[in-house]
Amino acid sequence: MKNLYYLLILLLLIGTSCAKEDTKIKTAEDYIEQLRVESESVGWTATVSIANEIVLSKGFGLGNYEQQVPVYPEKTKFRIGSISKSLTAAGLGILIEEGKIDLDAPVQKYVPDFPEKKYEITTRQAAGHLAGIRHYNGDEFLSSRYYPTVSDGLEIFMNDTLLFEPGTKYSYSSYGFNLLSAVMEGASGEEFLHFMQTRVFDPLGMTETTAERMDSLILFRAGYYDMNAGKVINAPFVDNSYKWAGGGFISTSEDLVKFGNAMLNNTLFPEEVKQQLITPQTLKNGEKTTYGMGFFSGTDEFGREYYGHGGGSVGGCSNLIIYPEEKMVVAVITNDTRAKVGNELHKIAEILLSDKQ
């Protein structure tokens, strides 16, 4: 009888704990839906894991507005924008671990055709937005031209003057990652997209992550939208082949969480290599940036340290947040050009981890 009493107490405690966790998840889902509605977005996908276990994975709204197709977090593919830089940086980490690349050698060691400038540019600087390479000009963000190779994409900016002496300033540049992908081709001896597929995506089981080829049929690719006077419209047609490394991949929220956990678990390379990627770089004057190589790092408003990357695309916004102390990964992607996926998403961790619920 006594044992039965203790068993009932234990079941009551377990039930109470499960109910509390279910409430937290429901609160987090409601918050995400609130952000989607406030953003006037067509569709969002969100996945969260803690200690390698998915605790939340849900689609919100529609993946395709015209066909009224819902969002599936495990297979609806969205443009992830500059989260592509973090994926590319993981490929760079593999080359660092294998000793195939010297981060502080001139980029011409790996890309001989890249014009020499007034100042020397290194791979470390290009990967950290310290190289003085410009960002988009005019309507380049809306490019609809197909670029068959990484080298072809370099033509956009390779003959331009540097904005400043490398290492003296931080200036965000997606084109710096164009150069980085060319460096990676030279260092690895492999075509960039093949390298990323076989060395990063395949080993991590990221089966739904790929370069977005506009001439190809891609299953469960989301539609891309914008808002005009309160009405949903198609986003302009773009071809992101000119910037695979910096903003040309598409993925699912569940695949991005796989990637985040691989970073936490040092699956692709050891901790010392990861630290090179996520630790903010320092300018020549001693000032620290908030960017390593392919990753931002910081502390959120709730005091939790994190690293990751946000992304903005034509018809897509995204954010990948990795909390190392909490072993937590948050991935959110949308299929519209403007959405609240910045610091607002830190509240998801607060909801799920706080004892105040």
Side-chain angles (χ1 to χ4, degrees):
M1 197 68 184
K2 188 175 181 181
N3 289 339
L4 179 60
Y5 171 77
Y6 285 130
L7 178 60
L8 289 173
I9 292 295
L10 177 61
L11 291 174
L12 179 62
L13 290 173
I14 292 173
T16 301
S17 176
C18 290
K20 187 175 180 180
E21 291 306 310
D22 288 345
T23 300
K24 287 184 177 184
I25 292 169
K26 178 64 165 58
T27 300
E29 290 176 346
D30 289 346
Y31 175 66
I32 294 167
E33 173 63 9
Q34 174 191 331
L35 291 178
R36 184 188 73 83
V37 172
E38 290 176 355
S39 301
E40 298 184 299
S41 300
V42 172
W44 284 36
T45 179
T47 302
V48 181
S49 73
I50 301 176
N52 299 306
E53 295 292 330
I54 290 178
V55 297
L56 184 161
S57 193
K58 186 175 180 179
F60 302 80
L62 298 171
N64 185 288
Y65 184 81
E66 292 157 297
Q67 300 299 323
Q68 295 289 289
V69 176
V71 174
Y72 303 100
E74 75 280 9
K75 57 187 177 183
T76 303
K77 300 174 183 64
F78 295 78
R79 286 177 176 155
I80 63 172
S82 288
I83 294 178
S84 301
K85 294 179 174 68
S86 296
L87 304 185
T88 298
L92 176 63
I94 291 170
L95 295 175
I96 294 171
E97 168 62 14
E98 293 178 348
K100 293 182 177 179
I101 195 163
D102 180 350
L103 294 174
D104 298 312
V107 294
Q108 287 81 8
K109 178 176 180 179
Y110 307 103
V111 192
D113 292 338
F114 192 79
E116 292 190 7
K117 306 295 182 180
K118 181 179 179 180
Y119 303 103
E120 182 179 281
I121 298 173
T122 68
T123 299
R124 189 188 303 275
Q125 291 165 340
H129 305 297
L130 307 181
I133 296 171
R134 70 172 177 86
H135 198 39
Y136 307 116
N137 275 344
D139 61 357
E140 289 174 349
F141 190 63
L142 299 174
S143 173
S144 59
R145 175 183 165 186
Y146 172 62
Y147 289 82
T149 69
V150 164
S151 296
D152 290 333
L154 297 181
E155 295 172 3
I156 301 170
F157 65 94
M158 64 188 295
N159 292 315
D160 293 353
T161 302
L162 297 181
L163 300 179
F164 49 81
E165 179 185 349
T168 62
K169 293 181 182 179
Y170 171 90
S171 183
Y172 190 85
S173 170
S174 286
Y175 291 143
F177 272 71
N178 284 34
L179 179 55
L180 176 60
S181 61
V183 166
M184 291 170 61
E185 284 193 341
S188 67
E190 294 183 50
E191 186 266 338
F192 173 70
L193 291 183
H194 181 265
F195 178 85
M196 291 297 296
Q197 187 67 51
T198 59
R199 303 302 305 278
V200 179
F201 304 151
D202 289 347
L204 299 184
M206 296 174 67
T207 58
E208 307 304 314
T209 302
T210 186
E212 187 184 27
R213 298 184 184 276
M214 300 309 293
D215 62 351
S216 300
L217 296 176
I218 299 177
L219 296 180
F220 292 99
R221 174 165 34 187
Y224 304 123
Y225 305 104
D226 207 338
M227 295 294 292
N228 182 19
K231 294 183 178 180
V232 178
I233 61 173
N234 286 311
F237 176 84
V238 296
D239 188 316
N240 289 321
S241 58
Y242 71 103
K243 57 171 183 179
W244 297 128
F249 291 114
I250 57 175
S251 188
T252 66
S253 57
E254 290 198 0
D255 261 15
L256 291 185
V257 164
K258 288 179 183 178
F259 175 75
N261 281 314
M263 290 297 296
L264 286 174
N265 300 328
N266 299 326
T267 304
L268 293 173
F269 35 73
E271 178 71 19
E272 54 266 29
V273 173
K274 178 174 73 179
Q275 288 302 319
Q276 289 189 64
L277 301 179
I278 69 174
T279 301
Q281 294 198 46
T282 303
L283 301 179
K284 289 184 177 181
N285 65 4
E287 180 183 341
K288 270 192 173 284
T289 70
T290 59
Y291 203 92
M293 291 184 285
F295 292 90
F296 286 100
S297 296
T299 303
D300 71 13
E301 61 182 293
F302 305 102
R304 296 187 178 92
E305 293 185 356
Y306 69 92
Y307 59 90
H309 218 294
S313 304
V314 176
C317 288
S318 59
N319 208 338
L320 172 66
I321 309 170
I322 303 168
Y323 299 91
E325 290 299 318
E326 293 77 13
K327 304 297 182 187
M328 184 177 197
V329 183
V330 176
V332 176
I333 329 174
T334 81
N335 60 0
D336 68 299
T337 301
R338 290 174 284 273
K340 294 183 176 181
V341 293
N343 292 335
E344 297 90 351
L345 297 187
H346 291 297
K347 188 175 177 180
I348 296 173
E350 177 66 8
I351 291 170
L352 295 174
L353 295 172
S354 175
D355 293 328
K356 298 176 184 178
Q357 299 295 318

